[in-house]
Amino acid sequence: TSLISIETCAFRECDLSESELNIPTLQNLSEEAFYDTNLQGAVNLPSLKTIGGDGYNQLFGKSKITEVVNLGKITILPDGFNSNYGVFNGCSELLRVSLPSTLEIIGKFTFSNDTALENVDLPDSLKEIREKAFYKCTSLEIEDLQLPNLESLGQNAFYGVKIKKISNLGKITALPTASTSTQNFGDKSVLEEVVLPIGITNIGAYAFMNYTLLTGDFNLLSVTTIGGNAFQNTAITSIMLPLVNTISWNAFTDCKKLKFVKIGDSIGKIDAAAFQNCISLENVIIENATPPTLSGTSFTNTNNCLIYVPDESVEAYKTATNWSSYASRIKGISELPIDNPTLYDEIKDYLG
């Protein structure tokens, strides 16, 4: 065949129950072309250049395809209109997807509700994964998510996906705000390890809330803002925040394995319950000579942890609003015990 283009709604609602989509010459595939058909088997379009349009973009929705083998050289899978529409949204029998090395954007709702999807090859070329791109792909398992050129991640992009480790989020500078019911990084009972990019500056509210297996030492060199509930109820063990200026409400509440916190000299505010119920917390270092604004509940139930501040500012901290409640625990940084085995290497490095 020399077919180059298939236009909008070309085969919509047609009975294609004995057909596969294997067209070597096809370059352009418009929206809803195969919506609600019985198209089966594999999709193989090695010459494809564009897919979808500006509308609903429900190209293969409700079809019976099982595999996407080749999508040519497309650079974008366009946004679906809403959570019921997307290029492969609702393909209930789709099992495997191979995405081209040219792909830069996976649009909203592209693979939403593909509950049988088990395997997706995510190319290094990806720059954006938008809202609910893999929403409720509950059979999809990713051992180690690596997206070296990622610049943007949408809300609920991987909702329901079983991601065990995230080792590369590329060039992303902000993690999206989530909520108590969202899952930007997949199933909350699965994720164990995250390596965040050096250039990340903003951790959105609820970003990792209730990812109960998430552990490790987080050295967030460029982060200036930690959103509310960002790490609540995780298993992280230490946090280094040299440039942070705001730690919002409940940011680290219920982090019951958290032992060490180091906060730089830019901190201006530590909000309500920021470290509440961190029952293993032992040492907090704050480098700002001026006591930051503190809520009365910021360090409630924190194991009587010691709080180390610049030597010249000890008295200022002990008499500052709400800091005075912790006066007996506030000490000068010079008093840090180098030989204390409960302190982390970062503290010893800080002391020189």
Side-chain angles (χ1 to χ4, degrees), residues 36-164:
D36 199 11
T37 66
N38 292 324
L39 185 68
Q40 298 179 353
V43 173
N44 185 21
L45 304 170
S47 298
L48 197 64
K49 295 180 179 179
T50 63
I51 189 168
D54 298 324
Y56 289 97
N57 285 319
Q58 184 74 324
L59 275 84
F60 294 97
K62 298 185 180 181
S63 69
K64 305 297 182 183
I65 60 172
T66 58
E67 184 174 7
V68 177
V69 175
N70 196 329
L71 291 176
K73 297 182 179 180
I74 63 170
T75 58
I76 180 171
L77 286 165
D79 293 339
F81 180 72
N82 60 32
S83 59
N84 295 313
Y85 296 90
V87 176
F88 295 101
N89 190 320
C91 294
S92 60
E93 298 183 22
L94 182 60
L95 298 173
R96 293 173 298 278
V97 173
S98 181
L99 296 173
S101 60
T102 53
L103 188 66
E104 296 183 355
I105 298 172
I106 299 178
K108 298 177 182 179
F109 319 114
T110 296
F111 296 99
S112 287
N113 306 305
D114 292 351
T115 55
L117 185 61
E118 295 177 348
N119 183 270
V120 176
D121 293 330
L122 296 171
D124 289 350
S125 55
L126 281 171
K127 295 181 179 179
E128 292 184 49
I129 301 178
R130 294 177 178 169
E131 178 185 351
K132 294 185 177 181
F134 293 95
Y135 184 71
K136 291 187 177 180
C137 292
T138 52
S139 297
L140 181 58
E141 298 183 7
I142 300 176
E143 186 70 20
D144 186 1
L145 184 64
Q146 299 187 45
L147 300 165
N149 290 296
L150 191 68
E151 297 175 359
S152 177
L153 182 72
Q155 269 200 2
N156 279 322
F158 290 99
Y159 185 101
V161 178
K162 296 175 177 63
I163 304 173
K164 189 172 183 179

Side-chain angles (χ1 to χ4, degrees), residues 177-226:
T177 296
S179 73
T180 56
S181 61
T182 57
Q183 296 180 11
N184 292 340
F185 302 100
D187 190 323
K188 293 189 176 186
S189 67
V190 177
L191 185 64
E192 297 179 1
E193 183 179 351
V194 173
V195 178
L196 293 175
I198 292 176
I200 198 163
T201 60
N202 183 26
I203 309 289
Y206 305 97
F208 295 105
M209 180 181 180
N210 292 331
Y211 281 88
T212 55
L213 296 183
L214 179 60
T215 188
D217 302 321
F218 283 74
N219 189 359
L220 304 179
L221 297 176
S222 302
V223 168
T224 58
T225 303
I226 303 282

